Amino acid sequence: MNKRIGAISHVTTPVQAWLHGSAYAVLIVVAIALIILAKTGNVGVERVRTAVVDGVSPLMEIANRPVVMISDTIETAQNYVALKSENEELRRQNENLRRWQITAAKLQGENASLRGMLNLAPTRAPNVTTAMVVADQGGSFVRSVVVNAGSLDGITKGQAAMTGLGLAGRVAEVGRHSSRVILLTDLSSRIPVFVGASRSRAILAGDNSPSPSLLYLDEGTNVKVGDAIYTSGQGGGFVAGLPVGVVHSLTDVAIKVRPYADWGHLEFLRLEDYGLKQNLDILYSDSGAERQK
């Protein structure tokens, strides 16, 4: 019996090897044939391919679900960490704002008490008109914008032009439906200001660059980077205390100020009328004479 089995195995082993080799060859030939048929646009091959895709798609979707779940879980964890960090930062900012609120309330009370002692007249609330910037007349020698509000809207020459952050300039010309606002950076702009907590007096002078300069500071004035600049109210052009900007550079040549106003995004201006007597000839140099030089 063993001899018979050995004889059979001796015959079948080469046959099996031949069949395996032939199977690989047949599969390769079939694959090449299918590729050629697909290139020729054979309808039968397209139907077979479509049927295979339809049959495999559900399996691929099922196999892909764990990957999607893992990806979603990782993204959720990352979002949670980011939100936790953001929440902590907002909590710190909220605490800082509360401290500033307490400080502001204290200063407000002290200010009211000092005003009462000095018998100061209360500050008049301004008449405010919000206007849209419709044209930018910036150039080599002019820094001004045109807004879509004029005399029919109650705008008068000399009104302060404010952004949400601080002073941007003042109304220089008024038409019926539009007005021209000269910016702080204009070469003809001259504004009396206070500098820092010491309230040192100076003149903020535009020079057609994004950062105007401080002129005529008192001798011995200690100016530091970061000192706040705000209007002094001298000359009657502006009320005192309008925020202007901060000192951002000190050199032997000039003291430069970075205004709070964002010159690249002037879309709306708040025109404020405090009922002051305006004198543009004092607050702004003779621009014609300067520009002819």
Side-chain angles (χ1 to χ4, degrees), residues 163-175:
T163 67
L165 300 174
L167 184 67
R170 65 177 302 147
V171 177
E173 298 176 2
V174 181

Side-chain angles (χ1 to χ4, degrees), residues 68-109:
V68 174
M69 291 178 61
I70 294 173
S71 178
D72 290 344
T73 302
I74 294 174
E75 184 178 357
T76 301
Q78 291 175 341
N79 290 338
Y80 174 77
V81 173
L83 287 174
K84 185 178 179 181
S85 176
E86 184 178 353
N87 189 36
E88 292 175 355
E89 179 63 24
L90 289 174
R91 187 179 292 110
R92 285 193 293 269
Q93 292 181 7
N94 190 36
E95 291 176 357
N96 290 333
L97 288 174
R98 287 180 179 178
R99 285 195 291 268
W100 279 110
Q101 185 180 20
I102 294 171
T103 302
K106 180 181 177 181
L107 292 175
Q108 185 178 20

Side-chain angles (χ1 to χ4, degrees), residues 10-270:
H10 181 73
V11 174
T12 57
T13 298
V15 173
Q16 289 176 352
W18 179 83
L19 288 175
H20 282 297
S22 301
Y24 286 121
V26 170
L27 289 175
I28 292 173
V29 171
V30 171
I32 294 173
L34 290 174
I35 293 173
I36 294 173
L37 290 173
K39 293 293 185 181
T40 58
N42 188 279
V43 177
V45 175
E46 185 176 352
R47 290 177 179 175
V48 172
R49 183 172 56 198
T50 303
V52 171
V53 172
D54 288 341
V56 174
S57 293
L59 299 178
M60 294 177 64
E61 182 179 355
I62 293 173
N64 194 44
R65 285 178 183 174
V67 178
V68 174
M69 291 178 61
I70 294 173
S71 178
D72 290 344
T73 302
I74 294 174
E75 184 178 357
T76 301
Q78 291 175 341
N79 290 338
Y80 174 77
V81 173
L83 287 174
K84 185 178 179 181
S85 176
E86 184 178 353
N87 189 36
E88 292 175 355
E89 179 63 24
L90 289 174
R91 187 179 292 110
R92 285 193 293 269
Q93 292 181 7
N94 190 36
E95 291 176 357
N96 290 333
L97 288 174
R98 287 180 179 178
R99 285 195 291 268
W100 279 110
Q101 185 180 20
I102 294 171
T103 302
K106 180 181 177 181
L107 292 175
Q108 185 178 20
E110 293 178 354
N111 190 29
S113 177
L114 291 172
R115 284 178 177 273
M117 293 173 60
L118 296 173
N119 196 25
L120 292 176
T123 303
R124 173 181 173 180
N127 295 321
V128 178
T129 302
T130 301
M132 179 185 294
V133 175
V134 295
D136 183 354
Q137 294 186 334
S140 300
F141 304 102
V142 179
R143 294 293 184 272
S144 66
V145 294
V146 176
V147 296
N148 64 345
S151 60
L152 296 180
D153 303 292
I155 307 303
T156 58
K157 188 176 180 180
Q159 290 182 358
M162 306 286 294
T163 67
L165 300 174
L167 184 67
R170 65 177 302 147
V171 177
E173 298 176 2
V174 181
R176 290 171 59 85
H177 303 284
S178 63
S179 302
R180 186 168 71 91
V181 175
I182 291 182
L183 303 179
L184 302 179
T185 55
D186 189 84
L187 186 64
S188 65
S189 175
R190 298 292 185 272
I191 297 176
V193 295
F194 284 138
V195 182
S198 64
R199 296 170 62 87
S200 300
R201 299 182 185 274
I203 297 295
L204 184 73
D207 55 9
N208 285 357
S209 73
S211 301
S213 303
L214 287 179
L215 303 179
Y216 309 120
L217 276 163
D218 294 334
E219 186 175 352
T221 300
N222 184 20
V223 178
K224 304 183 298 298
V225 172
D227 280 350
I229 310 297
Y230 46 98
T231 56
S232 66
Q234 284 186 309
F238 296 103
V239 294
L242 296 180
V244 176
V246 295
V247 176
H248 83 96
S249 70
L250 300 170
T251 66
D252 295 335
V253 178
I255 301 175
K256 288 291 188 177
V257 173
R258 182 177 68 245
Y260 291 128
D262 184 357
W263 307 123
H265 299 86
L266 284 182
E267 297 181 6
F268 294 92
L269 288 175
R270 192 173 67 246

Side-chain angles (χ1 to χ4, degrees), residues 252-293:
D252 295 335
V253 178
I255 301 175
K256 288 291 188 177
V257 173
R258 182 177 68 245
Y260 291 128
D262 184 357
W263 307 123
H265 299 86
L266 284 182
E267 297 181 6
F268 294 92
L269 288 175
R270 192 173 67 246
L271 307 181
E272 299 184 353
D273 180 12
Y274 289 88
L276 302 175
K277 293 182 179 180
Q278 308 298 340
N279 190 342
L280 294 177
D281 293 334
I282 295 177
L283 293 176
Y284 289 97
S285 307
D286 185 355
S287 60
E290 288 195 21
R291 289 167 184 167
Q292 286 176 2
K293 291 181 180 180

